Amino acid sequence: MNFRQSITNNIEKLVGTLKSEKELQEVLKRKFTKKEYKVFVAIESGETIESLQESMKDEKQRIEELYKNACKKLNQELFKKELIDLQF
């Protein structure tokens, strides 16, 4: 999965350049809940909601809610600051 591409696609306004892939992954793991992280990575990797339902034993609505919450978090200013590389 390309974290830079996934984050760029889900952030409405991004000012600056994103950190490296490994650093982005660490920030997401730290800021998202375990389920939000799992759902975000799976959906951005192309997995279907139906296959997530089976593997996570959750309802479709709950999985969609987790993904939506993850995307909301990505657009919070404090969260965005952690994704940006401050070195010039």
Side-chain angles (χ1 to χ4, degrees):
M1 181 187 138
N2 184 340
F3 286 99
R4 284 179 175 222
Q5 187 65 44
S6 296
I7 290 169
T8 305
N9 290 343
N10 287 292
I11 289 183
E12 292 169 15
K13 185 178 179 184
L14 181 65
V15 178
T17 55
L18 292 171
K19 294 181 176 182
S20 71
E21 286 287 310
K22 186 173 182 171
E23 290 174 308
L24 290 174
Q25 184 178 11
E26 289 172 13
V27 170
L28 294 181
K29 278 184 178 179
R30 194 173 60 248
K31 291 296 211 171
F32 287 165
T33 65
K34 288 179 183 178
K35 281 192 172 185
E36 284 172 343
Y37 180 79
K38 183 176 182 177
V39 168
F40 183 79
V41 169
I43 289 176
E44 289 297 321
S45 297
E47 196 170 326
T48 64
I49 290 177
E50 289 74 23
S51 64
L52 277 172
Q53 273 182 275
E54 290 178 26
S55 65
M56 293 177 66
K57 309 271 189 276
D58 254 325
E59 294 179 18
K60 181 179 180 180
Q61 184 179 357
R62 175 70 178 137
I63 291 169
E64 289 170 345
E65 185 181 311
L66 287 166
Y67 182 73
K68 193 167 91 175
N69 288 344
C71 292
K72 275 186 189 177
K73 283 184 180 181
L74 279 175
N75 282 288
Q76 293 173 344
E77 289 304 316
L78 289 173
F79 198 116
K80 284 191 225 179
K81 284 182 183 177
E82 290 200 39
L83 299 172
I84 300 298
D85 193 358
L86 298 175
Q87 298 172 348
F88 294 97

